[in-house]
Amino acid sequence: MTVTPSSFIKGAASLAAGMGVTIKSFFQPVVTSQYPREVLTITPRFRGHVMLLADPENPSKNACISCGICLRNCPSGSIKKVEGEKREGEKRKTATTYILDFTTCSQCGICVESCTTNALGFSGDFNCAGFKREDFLFDLVKEFDKRKKVS
Amino acid sequence: MEQLTEILKLEIVRIAIGLLAVFVFVVLNALILTWLERKVAGHMQLRIGPKEVGPYGLVQPLADALKLLGKEIITPRNVDKPLYFLAPIMIFIPVMVAFVVIPFDSYLQVKDINTGVLVILAFSSFTVLSILMAGWGSNNKYSLIGSVRSVAQSVAYEIPLLLSLLAIILMTNSLSLKDVVEAQKGLWFVFLQPVAFIIYFISSVAETNRTPFDLPEAESELVAGYHTEYSGMMFALFFLAEYTNMFIVSAITVTFFLGGYNGPFLPGIVWFLLKSYFLVFVMMWFRWTFPRVRFDQLLNISWKALIPLAFINLLITGGLLKL
């Protein structure tokens, strides 16, 4: 280990520079957000669980026409049942049951992309804890109606 | 004879009270330093440290202590029982002895032994012995290697420690710590002996096994180290000893180089504690800035850089004092 004056000075200066970096970050504000006490802002492209979206022409109804394309395209087979009926005076079918097994959903988005009427979207809901497996068998039509009633 | 017993009783009572105060201070200091370490580490990493337990996480050390008290003490089968159980207790001895001679204020010194420096330096080799006992008594080859490395490191860094202090002692002509502090009433020794200050501080960081010189401990994070086989309370004792050692070493640096308890306006003990804790903060600052030194580089720094520098410093000091 040969120490020359110039290498010593350079080494000492690098040590001091390192300490400067640390002390600067010591006085900088903290970047963590204190999650349970702070409300986090969810970005628009966040993938929570899948939900039905409203029909833009008739916002009180969801846009699903129960064609079943999402069910056939789901790679993990998470969409269990998509059923609908044609009601009087309406041109399109209305979805009555839409069972999604969220335990196997990987939020890949294939159902959202392949939906013919753009009826599916991702919600920003990340607080999906439950106590039993059955808590995650979502009926998306019921969820849509619940949301409609709330708003 | 009666006067002698009168004086003896008073002195012993005073020393006993001083020792009790020192003990309480050691425990409080360990608690505070564990909290401070985690907070400083957090803020230097752009995060908050502990915050849930008590306001600003102040009750966290207490919660940790309670947890460690409740842990089961697992003793491996073929440990050398006397060595294994004595090691964590013995590691506190040099610390307690050092606290006896440190002047917290002009009247707050448990006993001003007139060879105070010698006492501190002599008893700091107890740490080495206790680490060796811990490593050997654990009946574990990794512990042994870790403790042997730690011993080599401690022994190598005691020499520049001693040599840099010698330069100060040459200037004050006295081994008593009180005289050293009194001699700094006009000008702190750090301005007269900056090289000795730097050598002393680096050596003391290496003596307490702190980063960047914490190979003996880092091994315990990575593979093993001298306190692998210790669980629960005994492990806590080793860590408490490390934090207390940090404070002691900072206190001695303050006493020798930074003016001890001298300072305007505020009472002496406040200045002393402020300076000591500032140096403790600098040691924590080192920990979260620098990477670990490799073992051969560590010994090279001591034998090839610090010791020659310390000798040259001593030579120059002696020469200048003669003139």
Side-chain angles (χ1 to χ4, degrees), chain B residues 5 8 42 45 56 101 114 150 160 165 172 179 189 220 225 283 323:
Chain B
T5 37
L8 263 179
Q45 296 165 355
Y56 293 104
V101 286
N114 53 4
S150 170
L165 286 186
T172 60
D179 291 349
F189 284 151
S220 80
M283 287 173 112
L323 293 172

Side-chain angles (χ1 to χ4, degrees), chain A residues 4-80:
Chain A
T4 63
S6 68
S7 80
F8 180 79
I9 292 177
K10 237 196 309 197
S14 73
L15 289 181
M19 288 179 69
V21 167
T22 336
I23 201 68
K24 207 157 41 131
S25 65
F26 181 72
F27 290 111
Q28 273 172 2
V30 161
V31 297
T32 45
S33 46
Q34 306 300 315
Y35 161 55
R37 289 161 177 64
E38 255 179 45
V39 174
L40 297 177
T41 45
I42 303 296
T43 52
R45 290 197 197 180
F46 178 74
R47 293 190 179 188
H49 65 80
V50 176
M51 65 176 182
L52 284 173
L53 299 174
D55 188 357
E57 292 159 12
N58 189 357
S60 58
K61 280 173 46 131
N62 61 56
C64 178
I65 55 172
S66 59
C67 62
I69 284 182
C70 55
L71 189 150
R72 284 191 280 274
N73 279 345
C74 178
S76 36
S78 301
I79 305 179
K80 299 292 185 200

Side-chain angles (χ1 to χ4, degrees), chain B residues 105-116:
Chain B
D105 202 345
S106 48
Y107 50 91
L108 282 178
Q109 191 179 13
V110 178
K111 178 91 186 125
D112 184 25
I113 305 176
N114 53 4
T115 53

Side-chain angles (χ1 to χ4, degrees), chain A residues 128-144:
Chain A
C128 303
F131 283 102
K132 38 189 203 308
R133 203 175 271 268
E134 291 74 31
D135 288 343
F136 296 102
L137 276 176
F138 298 149
D139 185 339
L140 295 191
V141 176
K142 287 212 191 81
E143 302 277 326
F144 180 83

Side-chain angles (χ1 to χ4, degrees), chain B residues 27-40:
Chain B
V27 171
L28 279 178
N29 177 61
L31 284 179
I32 293 176
L33 278 185
T34 45
W35 173 82
L36 189 68
E37 168 99 67
R38 291 177 70 173
K39 277 300 203 183
V40 164

Side-chain angles (χ1 to χ4, degrees), chain B residues 225-295:
Chain B
Y226 63 87
H227 49 69
T228 323
E229 300 287 353
Y230 288 91
S231 54
M233 203 58 218
M234 297 199 277
F235 180 73
L237 280 178
F238 272 113
F239 259 67
L240 280 170
E242 175 183 329
Y243 284 117
T244 325
N245 242 335
M246 266 174 73
F247 177 79
I248 277 283
V249 140
S250 308
I252 299 174
T253 316
V254 164
T255 311
F256 276 91
F257 293 97
L258 293 179
Y261 51 75
N262 293 319
F265 312 121
L266 299 169
I269 185 168
V270 174
W271 273 120
F272 182 81
L273 289 176
L274 271 175
K275 293 179 206 170
S276 298
Y277 278 109
F278 173 70
L279 280 182
V280 167
F281 172 74
V282 170
M283 287 173 112
M284 293 182 181
W285 188 0
F286 281 177
R287 181 176 187 181
W288 302 109
T289 310
F290 298 133
R292 208 165 277 132
V293 177
R294 208 175 61 223
F295 193 64

Side-chain angles (χ1 to χ4, degrees), chain B residues 9-23 110:
Chain B
K9 202 159 48 146
L10 194 61
E11 189 67 13
I12 285 181
V13 163
R14 196 185 68 87
I15 291 182
I17 294 178
L19 283 175
L20 194 65
V22 155
F23 184 69
V110 178

